[in-house]
Amino acid sequence: MKSSAKQQSTREAILDATDRLLARSGYKKMTIDDLAKEVGIGKGSVYLHFSSKEELVLSHIDRIIDRLQIKLSAIAEESAKPSARLRKMLEMRVLHRFDGVQHYTQSLNDLLSAIRPNFLARRESHFENEAQIFVAVIEEGQQNGDFAEGDARKIAESLVLATNSLLPFSLTTQELGERRDIEEKTRQIANLLLQGLIKRE
Amino acid sequence: MKSSAKQQSTREAILDATDRLLARSGYKKMTIDDLAKEVGIGKGSVYLHFSSKEELVLSHIDRIIDRLQIKLSAIAEESAKPSARLRKMLEMRVLHRFDGVQHYTQSLNDLLSAIRPNFLARRESHFENEAQIFVAVIEEGQQNGDFAEGDARKIAESLVLATNSLLPFSLTTQELGERRDIEEKTRQIANLLLQGLIKRE
DNA sequence: TTTCTGACCAAAACGTAATTTTGGTCAGAA
DNA sequence: TTCTGACCAAAATTACGTTTTGGTCAGAAA
């Protein structure tokens, strides 16, 4: 039996190569043969880790989101004020997503059109998971009196949703604009939202 | 010389027919011949009003936005409190856009991919124009002491941007979800944003 | 045994050449 | 002066033979 650590590292190597090839050629032109060659394994071995090309790319996206969630959770557990943590989480979330696909110059549409239904479903669940991380911080702020009362889950969903139009999705990072502008716009929205959360004297 | 009122009504009839055909067949399958037949005019007459198929469809979208801007301006001039007006404007904006393309079941992607560059450019300018309508109301609220001080233009852009992810764009209305849910989500976000705007005692 | 591989295959993608449809024009009708 | 539809080049579609590709699996490697 192969060590699961080794299995895991092969899996990671495949996903790393997927990222490179996706950036280089887009979804349709990226072939499993090329991918295997890039990783230095046999083609069949790719299918030991992923059941299909679509599943492979979806997993690659999942990995970006997993990493995001780890970073979000880390901030959520810091010791700063809840409002400061939320602000930081909102900004980091947008920039992480921006950076995660910055090198895909034109290929986002290609990818989206190829795997649309499953991708949209996952995207929805990613948002839900991300919102859940915000919930804990919001509840903390409510309990310590910083924030006004309210359904923490709904508030979390609103925070996420309100910054979603800044995420690369149908628009590539180029079409979205300069990274610094995205950052500034996110900060503006986050400020307004958080002012709204903070309890009035 | 033909009366400009008659010219205008033909133009409107063409745009009405464009809306119907776009809903029925999508951008690529909608032909100018069909369109002329639907309106009951000759094909060449279509080109008396629009210089190309792309321009035609762009004008159709412009019309949706023009109507939106008229409704936004109307609300902006009502006598309710600035915060109430802004809330109403934000909700109306999202629902107007939702209703404007609700009958395009699958064809938004088709349209987007066909006219992408010019469409994106216009979209950007639509947002800027919409934001400008918000500016006046925000400044009014700042002057009468309801709202905290701040760059009204930037605030307006934030309000618009924060609700943009609820607009049909790459996602069709079906993919966005139920109208009542969109309405609820918009209201949630608007509440949070406006709480953030309101001046603290 | 367990892990990995690449030859293999059906299906999809691609080239391409013949055919049809379509966006756009414009000479002349109304 | 306004409108039209026959007309045309270009683009889309079809038909079809060829190539490429996603996915499998019998057997090699470990």
Side-chain angles (χ1 to χ4, degrees), chain A:
Chain A
M1 177 176 102
K2 183 168 186 179
S3 88
S4 119
K6 175 79 183 190
Q7 270 182 42
Q8 189 59 27
S9 92
T10 301
R11 187 190 144 95
E12 289 294 307
I14 295 173
L15 291 177
D16 290 346
T18 300
D19 186 52
R20 264 173 276 138
L21 291 198
L22 232 32
R24 196 181 306 156
S25 17
Y27 181 79
K28 281 181 193 165
K29 288 188 182 170
M30 164 184 130
T31 74
I32 305 294
D33 276 295
D34 286 350
L35 180 70
K37 208 166 292 168
E38 174 91 14
V39 181
I41 61 178
K43 180 181 183 176
S45 300
V46 173
Y47 287 89
L48 262 27
H49 296 270
F50 304 96
S51 63
S52 69
K53 185 179 175 184
E54 175 167 350
E55 175 59 28
L56 166 71
V57 172
L58 252 12
S59 296
H60 166 244
I61 295 169
D62 283 345
R63 189 173 67 159
I64 295 176
I65 305 295
D66 287 346
R67 288 172 173 170
L68 168 61
Q69 291 182 4
I70 287 168
K71 284 163 77 179
L72 283 177
S73 297
I75 298 174
E77 284 163 14
E78 286 177 359
S79 58
K81 285 196 306 179
S83 64
R85 274 180 269 159
L86 288 179
R87 189 173 278 113
K88 199 168 168 185
M89 287 165 74
L90 286 172
E91 287 175 26
M92 194 277 287
R93 173 170 174 267
V94 169
L95 293 178
H96 177 95
R97 292 288 305 276
F98 186 92
D99 296 336
V101 296
Q102 192 167 20
H103 44 295
Y104 297 13
T105 41
Q106 44 71 34
S107 44
L108 273 191
N109 329 308
D110 165 47
L111 195 160
L112 179 56
S113 80
I115 64 177
R116 185 164 248 257
N118 289 321
F119 175 66
L120 291 184
R122 295 225 188 177
R123 178 176 142 96
E124 210 48 56
S125 95
H126 291 152
F127 290 156
E128 284 174 20
N129 293 338
E130 288 160 25
Q132 199 54 46
I133 304 175
F134 284 81
V135 166
V137 182
I138 291 167
E139 284 175 344
E140 193 182 325
Q142 289 175 329
Q143 277 151 26
N144 80 8
D146 282 358
F147 297 160
E149 293 304 313
D151 183 333
R153 175 72 202 183
K154 283 192 177 171
I155 293 169
E157 283 167 2
S158 292
L159 294 182
V160 166
L161 199 49
T163 45
N164 271 359
S165 67
L166 290 159
L167 301 180
F169 171 45
S170 164
L171 295 182
T172 63
T173 51
Q174 350 271 299
E175 290 166 332
L176 274 170
E178 290 293 318
R179 189 181 193 279
R180 79 186 86 244
D181 292 337
I182 299 295
E183 186 173 2
E184 174 61 19
K185 287 174 184 172
T186 307
R187 199 191 312 276
Q188 282 278 335
I189 293 177
N191 272 335
L192 224 42
L193 290 166
L194 287 171
Q195 282 300 317
L197 252 186
I198 293 170
K199 192 172 189 173
R200 292 170 178 275
E201 303 304 316

Side-chain angles (χ1 to χ4, degrees), chain A residues 162 165 189 192, chain B residues 72 90 93-94 126-134 154-167 193:
Chain A
S165 67
I189 293 177
L192 224 42
Chain B
L72 282 177
L90 286 172
R93 173 171 175 267
V94 169
H126 292 152
F127 289 156
E128 284 174 21
N129 294 337
E130 289 160 23
Q132 200 53 46
I133 304 175
F134 284 81
K154 282 192 177 169
I155 292 170
E157 283 167 2
S158 292
L159 294 183
V160 165
L161 197 50
T163 45
N164 272 358
S165 67
L166 290 159
L167 301 181
L193 291 167

Side-chain angles (χ1 to χ4, degrees), chain B residues 5-162:
Chain B
K6 175 78 184 189
Q7 270 182 45
Q8 188 60 26
S9 93
T10 301
R11 188 190 144 95
E12 289 294 307
I14 294 173
L15 291 176
D16 290 344
T18 301
D19 185 51
R20 265 173 274 139
L21 291 197
L22 232 32
R24 197 181 304 158
S25 18
Y27 181 80
K28 282 181 195 163
K29 288 188 182 168
M30 163 183 131
T31 74
I32 304 295
D33 277 296
D34 285 350
L35 180 70
K37 208 165 294 167
E38 174 91 13
V39 181
I41 60 178
K43 181 180 183 176
S45 300
V46 172
Y47 287 89
L48 260 29
H49 295 270
F50 305 96
S51 64
S52 70
K53 184 180 176 183
E54 175 166 350
E55 175 59 29
L56 167 71
V57 171
L58 252 12
S59 295
H60 166 243
I61 295 169
D62 282 345
R63 190 174 66 158
I64 294 176
I65 305 294
D66 287 347
R67 289 172 172 169
L68 167 62
Q69 290 183 4
I70 287 168
K71 284 163 76 179
L72 282 177
S73 297
I75 298 175
E77 284 164 14
E78 287 177 0
S79 58
K81 285 196 307 179
S83 64
R85 275 179 269 159
L86 288 179
R87 190 175 278 114
K88 200 168 169 186
M89 287 166 73
L90 286 172
E91 287 175 26
M92 194 277 287
R93 173 171 175 267
V94 169
L95 293 179
H96 177 95
R97 293 287 305 274
F98 186 91
D99 296 336
V101 296
Q102 192 168 21
H103 43 294
Y104 298 13
T105 41
Q106 42 72 36
S107 43
L108 275 190
N109 329 308
D110 164 46
L111 195 160
L112 179 56
S113 79
I115 63 177
R116 187 165 247 259
N118 289 321
F119 175 67
L120 291 184
R122 295 225 188 175
R123 178 176 142 96
E124 210 48 56
S125 95
H126 292 152
F127 289 156
E128 284 174 21
N129 294 337
E130 289 160 23
Q132 200 53 46
I133 304 175
F134 284 81
V135 166
V137 182
I138 292 168
E139 284 175 344
E140 193 183 324
Q142 289 176 329
Q143 277 153 25
N144 79 9
D146 282 358
F147 298 160
E149 292 304 312
D151 183 333
R153 174 74 202 181
K154 282 192 177 169
I155 292 170
E157 283 167 2
S158 292
L159 294 183
V160 165
L161 197 50

